[in-house]
Amino acid sequence: MEKVRLDCPGFFTPKAIAGLHLPKLTSLSTTTMPLTEPACREWFYALPSLTRLQAGYTKADGQILDALGAAPWWSRLTYFEWVVSNLTKTTRWRALWEGRTFALRTLCLQYLNTQQALDLLSARFPDLEFLAVGHEIDESFLDTLARADLPSLRDIELRFTGVRDIRQFAARRHPGLPKLERIGITAFSDREETYHDWDGSVVGRGNVKMDDREVQEAFFRESPYRLLPSDSGTWQRFNSSQSQYAFGWFMERPK
């Protein structure tokens, strides 16, 4: 067995996993990161071929982060996706990344703030091609990204962050990002629209979100980069009401 999808958090009990050996397992999707129970932690550690891991919503703490960092396959994963929260209540997030070299090609992390996103850049990612992050990340992240050493990065998805203006970042090439091609962002036009409740009553007004063509024209017309196209699957996984439909399949760089 090479691929497993586990939708039931209750599966991870010492009794359920006793004797379950999966030496050929390369891809695992699980609804949480159950590393606090010693028997479950040892089961995870004993996956010699694991290279792709997708974990659903997890309230992280120092114990979980330390256990993940100690996994024998942690640095050799080529795909890692995690819906992780509660990071402001632990000081162990940076230690998960700092000074390490990873084999990751795709990295997708949700519910990060700006500092937590910056902590990622304290690691070395020589093979990383696709980075997608959210949610409470502002434009200051771009200042550090512009100085980062990510020699293989081709696409970065920032639509689900607070980053709205990338003109300065996108105006020129950056030496540490020689292969960067596309950037995904959300932007709003000067046009306004009225918001209505279910019964038709007006509940507010706001600016109309630009479509991809408008964003390309407004931000990338004179840029060496292009807009990363909108992708419904990526939108689903970053939308809390839709994320269940994205669980179990792995992200790919949009065409």
Side-chain angles (χ1 to χ4, degrees):
M1 188 176 295
E2 296 180 357
K3 299 179 181 179
V4 170
R5 168 179 168 171
L6 296 171
D7 294 63
C8 178
F11 172 82
F12 288 104
T13 64
K15 182 178 180 179
I17 62 177
L20 180 62
H21 303 297
L22 299 173
K24 295 183 179 181
L25 186 70
T26 60
S27 298
L28 175 62
S29 296
T30 174
T31 50
T32 187
M33 189 76 79
L35 296 176
T36 54
E37 165 62 50
C40 294
R41 184 165 60 249
E42 293 309 310
W43 183 85
F44 265 81
Y45 284 6
L47 295 174
S49 303
L50 187 67
T51 57
R52 287 156 48 100
L53 177 61
Q54 178 192 63
Y57 182 78
T58 308
K59 284 188 175 182
D61 57 25
Q63 184 180 5
I64 290 176
L65 296 176
D66 287 347
L68 179 60
W73 37 254
W74 173 232
S75 295
R76 71 165 185 259
L77 292 177
T78 60
Y79 180 105
F80 183 57
E81 178 181 351
W82 197 12
V83 184
V84 58
S85 71
N86 217 46
L87 292 177
T88 57
K89 297 184 178 180
T90 175
T91 60
R92 302 301 299 158
W93 175 251
R94 186 178 179 89
L96 193 61
W97 307 98
E98 188 171 24
R100 296 194 179 203
T101 300
F102 291 86
L104 287 164
R105 297 192 184 101
T106 299
L107 177 59
C108 177
L109 294 166
Q110 298 191 41
Y111 298 120
L112 305 187
N113 61 28
T114 301
Q115 182 56 55
Q116 291 151 9
L118 293 174
D119 289 341
L120 298 178
L121 302 181
S122 67
R124 292 181 291 274
F125 300 103
D127 303 313
L128 186 65
E129 297 180 353
F130 187 21
L131 175 63
V133 290
H135 290 83
E136 298 178 3
I137 300 169
D138 60 31
E139 277 84 0
S140 64
F141 174 68
L142 297 177
D143 297 334
T144 301
L145 180 64
R147 302 189 299 272
D149 182 19
L150 298 170
S152 299
L153 187 67
R154 294 185 180 274
D155 294 326
I156 182 167
E157 180 59 270
L158 299 172
R159 281 185 176 88
F160 311 98
T161 69
V163 175
R164 294 292 178 263
D165 190 347
I166 63 164
R167 288 182 176 88
Q168 184 174 351
F169 177 85
R172 61 184 179 86
R173 288 283 182 187
H174 305 285
L177 308 172
K179 294 185 178 180
L180 184 62
E181 300 172 0
R182 303 182 298 181
I183 307 167
I185 64 161
T186 295
F188 294 85
S189 70
D190 294 332
R191 306 188 308 276
E192 289 192 341
E193 61 182 339
T194 302
Y195 306 137
H196 298 87
D197 207 343
W198 64 271
D199 60 358
S201 60
V202 176
V203 295
R205 291 183 61 81
N207 295 87
V208 177
K209 187 167 71 172
M210 292 182 179
D211 61 26
D212 279 8
R213 180 189 59 80
E214 292 174 307
V215 174
Q216 175 67 40
E217 178 67 17
F219 292 91
F220 297 96
R221 182 173 55 177
E222 299 180 1
S223 170
Y225 309 110
R226 293 178 288 123
L227 176 68
L228 182 68
S230 299
D231 178 76
S232 59
T234 305
W235 175 81
Q236 278 186 325
R237 70 193 338 109
F238 277 89
N239 186 306
S240 58
S241 65
Q242 299 289 319
S243 58
Q244 59 181 317
Y245 303 111
F247 178 75
W249 64 269
F250 292 88
M251 293 180 65
E252 295 182 0
R253 292 173 55 213
K255 300 296 185 182

